[in-house]
Amino acid sequence: MSMTTPTTEAGTAAFPTLTVPIAEAIAAFSAVLPHSTKDPITPILGTVLVSGRSIIATDRYTVGRYTFETSEATEDFLVPREAAEWVSKIVTRGLRRATRAGSTSEGYGIELAVVGGAVNVSIVFGEGDDYAVERMQQFDPAPSTADRFPPVARLIPEDPASRPEASFVALSPENLEKVTGWAKKYAKNEAVHFTLAAAENGSDKPAPVYFKIGGLDGLIQPHLLPRG
């Protein structure tokens, strides 16, 4: 989706920006939000990292990453939880009118931009001379910066299925629901693919379980059973 983004004289984006078709934005933020935390002790884990073509969230026990089909951020930035929740629950008057008319959300987009520290989330429509902002909401700055976000994306291998399979793993229902709950709503006709990998280097510590469904992939740390 091509949208008009403010640029400098050199042609680069004037501030960190990501623009995504609205249906994909709603699905994406709904996918990763369950993997973030509301714990005030670790506020950065309550944010969503925007990085390249992906958004990422983690609560230490699971990691959720959604990769967009074509949209890409101009640079990495953090989206506070309140802004991410707002995106995930958007239903605009324009979209309702389009639905009643039998049309689609084609042409609508979500634009996230960090301006003066604050995070602006706009519902936009069209491009070029027809570009218009239908609604804009401003949110307080994220509690930290993108470079401080844990580098959890590197924990997800490019091809989990290529790793040796393990024979047993225990997962908590709460962590599974973060994946299956989203899939039931946004990916009804797709299967969730889980890969159980063996521990590396002979370690007796259980390895993560990797998952993928549509644009969402990530990992779930195993549930440690009590000893004895």
Side-chain angles (χ1 to χ4, degrees):
M1 181 177 197
S2 175
M3 292 286 184
T4 302
T5 300
T7 59
T8 64
E9 291 183 1
T12 58
F15 34 73
T17 305
L18 171 69
T19 305
V20 185
I22 195 166
E24 189 178 15
I26 294 170
F29 279 92
S30 297
V32 302
L33 266 174
H35 301 275
S36 67
T37 181
K38 295 181 180 179
D39 188 348
I41 296 177
T42 53
I44 193 170
L45 298 186
T47 67
V48 173
L49 173 66
V50 176
S51 180
R53 290 181 50 227
S54 300
I55 58 174
I56 305 163
T58 184
D59 59 2
R60 297 190 302 270
Y61 305 104
T62 64
V63 178
R65 176 179 66 183
Y66 191 99
T67 302
F68 298 112
E69 291 186 10
T70 58
S71 302
E72 185 169 358
T74 58
E75 62 183 274
D76 293 359
F77 62 95
L78 294 180
V79 177
R81 184 180 185 89
E82 294 78 7
E85 289 178 338
W86 193 81
V87 172
S88 71
K89 299 174 182 177
I90 286 171
V91 180
T92 70
R93 290 191 300 273
L95 287 175
R96 284 197 292 264
R97 286 196 299 269
T99 301
R100 285 197 297 268
S103 183
T104 67
S105 59
E106 184 70 27
Y108 283 92
I110 294 296
E111 184 178 88
L112 299 100
V114 180
V115 183
V119 176
N120 294 344
V121 183
S122 303
I123 301 172
V124 297
F125 183 82
E127 56 186 86
D129 293 338
D130 297 324
Y131 175 86
V133 176
E134 180 174 296
R135 182 180 177 188
M136 192 274 283
Q137 188 84 11
Q138 188 172 80
F139 296 88
D140 291 337
S144 189
T145 54
D147 61 311
R148 303 297 299 275
F149 193 86
V152 292
R154 68 185 183 187
L155 300 176
I156 308 172
E158 289 298 321
D159 183 15
S162 67
R163 299 183 62 176
E165 291 187 352
S167 58
F168 172 81
V169 69
L171 302 176
S172 76
E174 292 81 4
N175 288 337
L176 278 172
E177 176 64 19
K178 296 173 186 177
V179 179
T180 59
W182 177 82
K184 285 187 293 185
K185 186 173 182 180
Y186 292 100
K188 292 181 180 179
N189 298 322
E190 297 187 54
V192 183
H193 296 269
F194 292 100
T195 300
L196 285 65
E200 295 182 346
N201 302 323
S203 171
D204 59 358
K205 181 180 178 182
V209 172
Y210 304 100
F211 62 84
K212 180 170 178 57
I213 177 169
L216 174 66
D217 67 350
L219 63 87
I220 302 175
Q221 296 288 3
H223 182 70
L224 299 181
L225 299 174
R227 296 182 179 273

